Amino acid sequence: MSNPFEGMGDDEKEYQKVVSDNVNKRMEGAMNDLKKKYSDGRGGDDMGDNGPTGDAYQKHQQMQKKRADAARAQKNASKKAEAEMIKAQRENMQQNDQDESSDDEYDDLLEELDADPEMEALRAKRISHMRQKQMDRAENLAKGHGSYRIITQDEFLNEVTTSKWVALHFFHKEFERCKIMHHHLELIAPIHIECKFINIDAEKCPFFVSKLQVRTLPTLVIFRDGVAVDRLTGFQEMAVDPSEPDKWHTSKLQAWIASTGAITFAMPTEEIRKEMEKMGITPRGTIWSTKHANADDEDED
């Protein structure tokens, strides 16, 4: 075996020898301590805080275990969610298959209907009718339908002759009954776009008052294509109670105008009224009398 101090100077050899002796002593001491532990029955114990059984090590191990448990729980939850999603997708696919089967039956029925020339003609007629109604509505609104407006004598002919159906109220600004008629017509006009509702001051159009022989106010004249076809003078047969001639329902006036052909309206039958009441719908009529000009609307009898 070669000498480890060979080739060194005396001082360096001395220094290396001291270091070597010190290391050997420490190694020998450690070996003796280890032998003593095993002889005392404490072999493998490490009292140091950072040793394999120390507090810091144990805390680290516990934290690692918690992290592993959390990761395992998260993984299990993900697997469960994925399994539920796959189950839901399968059920949805089964439902879609059933829906597609129903859709196929419906499509087959539509194909059969489409192949029927009578059904095709009926459908085309219906579509044409709906388009015509939309066009008529737009045209009427452009002509001033849908609102209750006052006109002058100079506007009379243009207003009366440019619409198929016109309801013209001759009024006097001081007459209470004319105000009642105003009230009802203001409610009717926005509902029935098929007819134009206008009014004119009788004092300011003497020519047409004379031409149409208006003798009593209020007078409501119905025009068709510019020709007077009917009129309501005063409140003929409008009153609910003859003893109170100024107290009546808007629906009474609607029904009279509908009888001339100017609007489409039908009074609800008793059967319809009962069905409406079952659904919680209470029909109400608007009433305005000279005795209760500012009162709230009352229920229709």
Side-chain angles (χ1 to χ4, degrees):
M1 183 175 180
S2 61
N3 185 358
F5 303 111
E6 186 178 355
M8 296 183 182
D10 292 339
D11 293 339
E12 188 176 359
K13 288 180 179 180
E14 185 66 23
Y15 173 76
Q16 290 293 338
K17 187 175 185 303
V18 171
V19 171
S20 177
D21 291 343
N22 186 27
V23 170
N24 290 334
K25 287 180 180 181
R26 292 178 63 185
M27 289 289 292
E28 183 178 357
M31 292 295 293
N32 291 334
D33 289 341
L34 185 61
K35 289 179 181 180
K36 190 173 186 310
K37 284 182 181 181
Y38 275 94
S39 64
D40 294 341
R42 297 182 294 110
D45 291 345
D46 194 329
M47 304 305 293
D49 186 56
N50 292 322
T53 57
D55 292 340
Y57 177 80
Q58 291 178 358
K59 289 179 181 179
H60 177 72
Q61 288 293 95
Q62 291 173 357
M63 184 175 295
Q64 288 290 93
K65 186 176 182 301
K66 288 182 180 180
R67 289 176 180 174
D69 292 341
R72 191 180 303 108
Q74 184 176 2
K75 185 177 181 180
N76 291 336
S78 299
K79 288 183 177 180
K80 184 178 179 181
E82 184 178 1
E84 292 178 352
M85 183 178 67
I86 293 174
K87 181 181 178 182
Q89 288 177 345
R90 289 176 178 173
E91 293 177 352
N92 189 37
M93 289 175 64
Q94 292 175 355
Q95 183 64 39
N96 288 338
D97 290 340
Q98 295 177 358
D99 292 343
E100 288 177 3
S101 178
S102 299
D103 291 341
D104 290 341
E105 293 177 1
Y106 181 68
D107 291 339
D108 291 341
L109 179 59
L110 286 179
E111 288 179 2
E112 291 179 7
L113 292 176
D114 289 339
D116 188 345
E118 293 184 1
M119 289 298 298
E120 185 63 29
L122 184 61
R123 181 184 301 159
K125 183 178 180 180
R126 177 61 177 166
I127 294 174
S128 177
H129 178 68
M130 292 175 62
R131 287 176 178 171
Q132 186 60 48
K133 284 185 66 175
Q134 292 176 348
M135 291 174 61
D136 290 343
R137 177 181 175 83
E139 183 179 353
N140 286 336
L141 289 174
K143 292 178 180 178
H145 293 225
S147 62
Y148 181 58
R149 301 177 292 110
I150 187 170
I151 65 169
T152 64
Q153 181 169 260
D154 293 339
E155 298 170 327
F156 185 98
L157 289 176
N158 182 61
E159 292 284 357
V160 168
T161 59
T162 54
S163 294
K164 181 176 181 179
W165 290 102
V166 178
L168 175 61
H169 172 209
F170 286 89
F171 74 93
H172 190 288
K173 62 183 178 181
E174 300 297 334
F175 289 7
E176 192 66 28
R177 283 193 168 185
C178 292
K179 296 178 183 179
I180 296 172
M181 182 64 77
H182 279 322
H183 169 75
H184 291 288
L185 292 175
E186 285 174 350
L187 296 172
I188 296 174
I191 302 173
H192 296 282
I193 308 298
E194 66 270 30
C195 180
K196 180 189 292 183
F197 289 87
I198 52 180
N199 60 88
I200 190 167
D201 190 337
E203 286 188 312
K204 297 181 180 179
C205 59
F207 174 80
F208 292 107
V209 168
S210 175
K211 184 72 174 177
L212 295 170
Q213 299 181 359
V214 176
R215 300 286 182 264
T216 303
L217 298 178
T219 291
L220 182 64
V221 181
I222 305 297
F223 294 86
R224 179 175 181 175
D225 296 325
V227 179
V229 294
D230 209 340
R231 71 176 60 198
L232 177 68
T233 302
F235 296 157
Q236 299 171 347
E237 301 179 0
M238 291 289 110
V240 176
D241 184 349
S243 64
E244 296 182 290
D246 294 345
K247 185 177 181 180
W248 46 277
H249 302 87
T250 302
S251 58
K252 295 281 286 185
L253 182 58
Q254 283 177 284
W256 180 86
I257 299 173
S259 70
T260 68
I263 65 173
T264 301
F265 175 77
M267 293 283 285
T269 64
E270 188 62 27
E271 183 178 357
I272 293 177
R273 287 175 181 273
K274 290 181 180 179
E275 290 298 323
M276 292 171 67
E277 290 175 359
K278 288 180 182 178
M279 293 186 291
I281 303 173
T282 304
R284 297 182 65 86
T286 54
I287 304 174
W288 187 12
S289 71
T290 53
K291 294 181 181 179
H292 308 286
N294 296 320
D296 291 335
D297 294 346
E298 299 178 19
D299 287 340
E300 180 174 355
D301 296 334

